[in-house]
Structures are given as C-alpha cells and as structure tokens.
Amino acid sequence: MAKTDYYEMLGVSRDVDGATLKKAYRKKAMQYHPDRNPGDAQAEQTFKELSEAYDVLRDAEKRAAYDRFGHAAFENGGFGGGRGGASGPDFANSFSDIFEDLFGEFMGGARGGRRGGPARGDDLRYNLQIDLEDAFIGKQVQVTIPTAVNCATCAGTGATPGTEPTGCGTCNGMGKVRAQQGFFTIERTCPACGGQGQVISDPCIDCNGNGQVQQEKTLSVNVPAGVEDGTRIRLSGEGTAGARGGPAGDLYIFLSMNPHPIFEREGMNLFCSVPIPMTTAALGGDVEVPTIDGGRAKVTIPSGTQTGKQFRLRAKGMPQLRGGSYGDLYIQAEIEVPVNLSRRQKELLEEFASESKDGRGKKNHPQTEGFFDKVKEFWSDLTD
C-alpha cells in the first residue's frame, strides 16, 4: 500500500515555512494524540505517521532528500535506515520530540538545539550597600568577586594545548541518551560526557579538564543617580564562565541603602524631622535646614506652629532614575520644650502661665482646652 504524501498528510504546501509546518503538525498531533483517543488504534497509527512526516520535513537535509526521491529516500539504508532496527525516520526520536514541540514552550521554553554543547555559565549575585548621597549623585564603585574564569592555558576547552575534545561515542555528540519503554521514550543527560556531547582524552593539567579556574575579578560598577533600595544592575557576561568555552553567565548587582542620620526616603521624596525651639514655634521665625546635596535651605516658621506640621521644599528631593525631574523635601516640625531652665526663665514662664489662666487660655492653647472640654463631656455622659 502506497504511503501518503507527507505534505498532504500534514495539510501543507510543498513550499511551507518552518513556523507554518510546526503549527500544522501541532494541530494534527493534538487531534490524534493517543491520550485523547484511548483505545483507538487507527488514531494511534495516524499519530505515528504524522510524527514521521514532521520529523522528515522539519529537517532541511531530510526534506531535500524527500522532495527529490520521495519515500524511497528512506528505504534500503537511506536516511534513518537501520536505526533502532527499523527503516525510515527514527520514530523514538520523533515521538520524544512531540512533547518538546507541543509543550516545550510551557515547560521552560524551546530546547535550543538537539545537539549537546558547551553549557552557559551560572549567573552571580553581588550585594552592594551604598549611602543615600551616592544614590543622589551616582557613583563608580569597584567590586571584587570570586568567580570561575576560562583557563588561560587551554582557552577554556579543557584539553591540552594542541589537542581537541572528541565527540562522545555514547550519545554520538547529542549530549543526551534515550531509552524506549513501550510506547514512551525517556531522555536523560549522557552519563559519559555530562551532556557536553564531547569527551576529553588528554585533559589540561592546569584546570584538570574543567576548562575553568577559580579567580577573583575586580569590576567597575556604574551606580546611576536616582537608584532605589533593591535596584538591580546587570553586567552581561560577567558571571561564571561557561563550561568548556561556553558563554559566560551574567552578574547581578543588588543595591541596598545604608540608613541616613538625617533623611528618610520614600520614592523620590525625602523627609527630615527638624527640632523647632518652643519660642520660635510660638512667635514665628526662620530656621535653616540641610539638603541632600550638602547645601542649606531657609524655612519660614509661622507663629503658632505645632508639632507634626510639614513644610514642602520643591525639587529638593531625589532625582528620577533616567529622568530629569526631582522629588521634594518635606520638613516636619518637632517642637522642642526647653530644659535646664535658669531661675529667670522659670519666672518668665510662670508669669506666662499665670496670664494664660485669666480667661485667655483657650486663645493660647486651643488644642489643650478643646481636648479637656471633650473629656468633661465624656465624664458627664458616664455619670448620668
């Protein structure tokens, strides 16, 4: 019985591109998947044929042979002939790919190639503490990190200079080995090469074939103005070197702010509690306050200012990260009661207190009088 044309089976034209081919295969495979058609032998057979067709057409070399010779290209020892004891494309390989093609993007992304190869190095983390002033103006910081770098002797290959790694005979350079158990195929990392797809027969004596050596590395980190606590700075390629010449990982600098003795920060705004003498709060006056840039600013305190009153200084806060605007500085008044009074100071305060009792108390201390009026009402309600 003649085999169905692969293009016709998948419902695509002969000039179909890879993305359209994959989409068509997914749709058909999901329709005829054995899990969706339990006990249906015909659906299982169709599913196998679809997998065979897709395995051929997605491979440029196999597809070219199929376009020229048709199914005969895979008969009598052609492509895939004799693999696994059967002719035609390797169905075990194709079936294993079903899960990766259909569900791989939901399980951590595409496979990134079927062959083994140098693995990417690990990412590194470095915690960097800076002062608020550094976050205000920006800073260049030198950091020293212990990491793995490529061995200079073998250039990261792990092999003695003048020699090269050879393809792994266990996995044929794939980096993975597969074992079929009934209808399913299990894939695991090749135990002989550790997933590299290559083995080193003559290892470098300086790195013992690892291709890496431990070393401290000093880097210059640019901390831009406006960074906040928890900001992450990425230095591409400054992580651990990849195994046997693989690409290096990245270095992530995590910033944290040291507590400031004067200012507290909320986003782009700064807050500063300033003690105000009782006399200044009562009579009014001016006070000088610090700013984060090291300067000074004058704040006018109106007479009768109470603790907790805030005064806003526009554009005296932190800069916006990668922007030209600034936050504000909020000055919060903390009225300070005098201590260590002299005899004369006490006499003056007693005189002030005496005059406050002659019916003018509500004018001098409206909050105090208002509070005790509410207390009297509260007590009155309890005794009624």
Side-chain angles (χ1 to χ4, degrees), residues 267-329:
M268 293 172 59
N269 296 325
L270 294 176
F271 294 82
C272 179
S273 294
V274 177
I276 307 295
M278 182 183 70
T279 53
T280 303
L283 301 175
D286 295 330
V287 296
E288 282 191 336
V289 297
T291 54
I292 187 63
D293 60 1
R296 300 178 182 182
K298 184 173 71 173
V299 177
T300 299
I301 306 298
S303 61
T305 294
Q306 304 294 314
T307 290
K309 173 68 176 179
Q310 286 189 342
F311 302 90
R312 180 184 182 187
L313 301 181
R314 295 182 180 274
K316 291 296 184 180
M318 298 295 292
Q320 181 183 19
L321 183 64
R322 292 184 291 273
S325 61
Y326 284 79
D328 300 325
L329 170 60

Side-chain angles (χ1 to χ4, degrees), residues 108-127:
R111 293 177 298 147
R114 294 174 59 187
R115 295 184 59 86
R120 180 180 181 274
D122 294 332
D123 293 335
L124 297 178
R125 171 174 178 153
Y126 186 91
N127 296 324

